[in-house]
Amino acid sequence: MKVLVVGGGPGGLFFGILLRRARPDVAVHVVEQNPEGASYGWGIGLTDSALDALRPSAPDVVDDLAADIDVTDQMEVGLDGETLRVTASAFSRTGRIQLLATLQRWARAEGVTFAFAQRLEDSAELAGWDLVVGADGVNSRVRDIYADVFKPEISFGNNWFAWYGTSRLFTAPSIIVLRRPEGVAVSHASQYTADRSNFVVELTPRVFRSGGFEHLDEEESRRRCEAMFAGSLEGHPLYTNKSLWFQPKFVRCTGSWSHENVTLLGDALHTVHPSLGSGTRFAMRDAAYLVEALAAAGWDVPRGLRGYEESRRGTAEAFQRAAVRSIGWYEGLQSRPPRDLTTMTLEYIMRTGRVRYEEFRRNNPEMMRAYEELR
Ligand SMILES: Cc1cc2nc3c(=O)[nH]c(=O)nc-3n(C[C@H](O)[C@H](O)[C@H](O)COP(=O)(O)OP(=O)(O)OC[C@H]3O[C@@H](n4cnc5c(N)ncnc54)[C@H](O)[C@@H]3O)c2cc1C
């Protein structure tokens, strides 16, 4: 059996590792358009519950991903320079480059082969494999080739994002909201190595347009964001790594999840949203479901792919509904700017409906007392 994985992101790599472990006799080949060691972006967060969900599939690999990264259950929410620290989900942080390097090392150790700097373009390249897995991200070429089967619904968020790094160490993951005369600006920041934090800037359309950001190059945008968030950055610079403005693409495949021996996973199949901080886990969980479904079908590929869809689709759609609620909260900041820090913090924590109110209340008695006094 020969398997082609298009895309060497977290989903494709984890799939390769799990498949080779389950079937060491199967050849798994990953085609990745980027050169080895190249990656966009900075740090990513993985909640403890994400790692717990992934761990049973490959405990050694998942422990390795979490090995040298800081875990915290503290988070900070800021509004115009005032901050509130709360106890929330426990979070590990790592660099996207480190995460990919670790997964590549494990994949190589399992015998997965790689072709870097090779972009899959032509549908003819999908012939001759027993199974093709499109793990090629949000702009998936495999999804495009079989668009009539996968039937993707694609929309774009209204807010604009740019992904920076900084040397200011946000030891607790932070959401920083600034009310400006022209609208609301947000940053999502968290430390992920000894000397770096992630700093994702999110601008509502009015702030983006009135600041003329669409006409600025990467360096000028960086300078302007640095100035806008100077109070939180405390004199530290922002750094770029392909930090171009984008509106997140929201992908949902409404058709079948497979065509004969071809399927999709991760962002290629369904995105969540940067604000939910769960896309990496989501893609890696898809990989685990796919391998389990293939095994349960006795490695009959079309049957296994149907089993993958049957077992995964419901959870995936529920997760996407949480993402839509999260997007709505951030986008709603334009028309209903936050009134006060305490209320905004609670609304933020509860925005997806996935955090239990009573549990949050128990862990944050002081903040909740302050909130109830405001009512
Ligand atoms: C600003 C921002 C912040 C984020 N923060 C977090 C976070 O904190 N936590 C979290 O869990 N997630 C986060 N995410 C989401 C996460 O990055 C993605 O959801 C996750 O990487 C999806 O994994 P994937 O393997 O499906 O796709 P990707 O990681 O996109 O990997 C796809 C791979 O396929 C390759 N590829 C694409 N097309 C081709 C082709 N035609 N031929 C060959 N190769 C191809 C690409 O180069 C890429 O390496 C964030 C995303 C953004 C944009």
Side-chain angles (χ1 to χ4, degrees):
M1 187 173 174
K2 279 169 52 193
V3 177
L4 174 66
V5 180
V6 184
L13 293 172
F14 201 52
F15 173 76
I17 294 166
L18 299 184
L19 182 55
R20 286 281 303 176
R21 285 188 172 183
R23 284 288 305 267
D25 57 317
V26 167
V28 179
H29 186 60
V30 175
V31 176
E32 167 55 51
Q33 66 184 0
N34 286 333
E36 190 166 1
S39 181
Y40 69 93
W42 298 88
I44 55 147
L46 292 164
T47 57
D48 264 15
S49 61
L51 293 171
D52 288 348
L54 291 167
R55 194 166 279 111
S57 311
D60 45 357
V61 178
V62 173
D63 286 342
D64 199 11
L65 294 180
D68 55 359
I69 48 183
D70 187 22
V71 182
T72 177
D73 64 356
Q74 297 296 294
M75 103 159 270
E76 271 186 10
V77 182
L79 180 63
D80 300 335
E82 193 193 349
T83 57
L84 190 58
R85 194 170 262 241
V86 294
T87 303
S89 309
F91 243 93
S92 296
R93 283 75 58 77
T94 187
R96 183 172 155 95
I97 289 181
Q98 286 90 323
L99 179 100
L100 293 180
T102 303
L103 289 172
Q104 276 168 20
R105 182 164 41 75
W106 281 98
R108 280 216 165 86
E110 294 299 337
V112 172
T113 58
F114 287 90
F116 285 101
Q118 191 177 310
R119 183 177 157 77
L120 180 128
E121 204 54 66
D122 191 340
S123 60
E125 295 169 67
L126 303 182
W129 301 91
D130 298 295
L131 169 63
V132 173
V133 178
D136 47 347
V138 67
N139 298 314
S140 171
R141 176 72 191 124
V142 178
R143 186 184 67 225
D144 283 353
I145 291 171
Y146 294 108
D148 55 333
V149 175
F150 297 123
K151 297 191 174 36
E153 260 182 24
I154 294 179
S155 56
F156 286 87
N158 294 325
N159 288 356
W160 289 87
F161 286 72
W163 197 353
Y164 299 107
T166 178
S167 47
R168 153 87 157 93
L169 301 182
F170 291 89
T171 50
S174 301
I175 300 296
I176 302 155
V177 177
L178 301 180
R179 284 175 295 199
R180 300 169 59 83
E182 68 276 23
V184 171
V186 181
S187 161
H188 314 244
S190 78
Q191 181 185 0
Y192 68 93
T193 62
D195 60 355
R196 275 290 175 278
S197 294
N198 209 31
F199 200 88
V200 179
V201 174
E202 174 171 1
L203 302 181
T204 51
R206 268 212 299 272
V207 178
F208 187 76
R209 270 195 308 273
S210 63
F213 281 96
E214 71 264 50
H215 306 300
L216 304 184
D217 65 11
E218 190 180 15
E219 176 52 22
E220 187 51 27
S221 282
R222 182 197 69 76
R223 265 204 296 270
R224 293 274 292 278
C225 289
E226 208 174 79
M228 192 184 290
F229 288 96
S232 308
L233 289 167
E234 297 176 350
H236 287 268
L238 289 180
Y239 301 110
T240 56
N241 175 10
K242 301 187 194 124
S243 307
L244 304 176
W245 290 107
F246 67 96
Q247 288 173 297
K249 203 174 193 179
F250 193 74
V251 176
R252 206 167 72 89
C253 285
T254 62
S256 167
W257 280 15
S258 61
H259 170 71
E260 296 172 359
N261 64 335
V262 180
T263 193
L264 302 173
L265 61 74
D267 277 3
L269 178 63
H270 41 207
T271 55
V272 275
H273 189 258
S275 70
L276 210 57
S278 295
T280 304
R281 164 263 279 266
F282 201 44
M284 290 171 71
R285 285 288 282 159
D286 282 351
Y289 271 84
L290 178 52
V291 173
E292 276 166 27
L294 288 164
W299 306 101
D300 174 309
V301 170
R303 208 149 58 81
L305 298 188
R306 282 195 298 277
Y308 165 53
E309 178 172 348
E310 277 160 23
S311 60
R312 180 69 171 142
R313 189 162 201 145
T315 326
E317 289 183 351
F319 216 72
Q320 283 201 299
R321 285 193 291 276
V324 168
R325 288 193 289 274
S326 182
I327 298 168
W329 186 80
Y330 284 99
E331 296 193 346
L333 290 173
Q334 173 150 301
S335 55
R336 52 155 187 81
R339 278 183 297 163
D340 63 85
L341 177 59
T342 310
T343 310
M344 182 187 85
T345 302
L346 192 66
E347 284 174 5
Y348 165 75
I349 296 284
M350 295 295 148
R351 74 196 186 285
T352 63
R354 293 173 74 87
V355 174
R356 280 190 221 98
Y357 181 83
E358 280 310 322
E359 191 180 328
F360 181 78
R361 191 169 195 275
R362 217 175 18 256
N363 292 332
N364 296 276
E366 260 181 52
M367 182 210 139
M368 290 308 292
R369 249 195 313 277
Y371 173 73
E372 278 150 18
E373 274 165 22
L374 281 171
R375 305 291 85 208

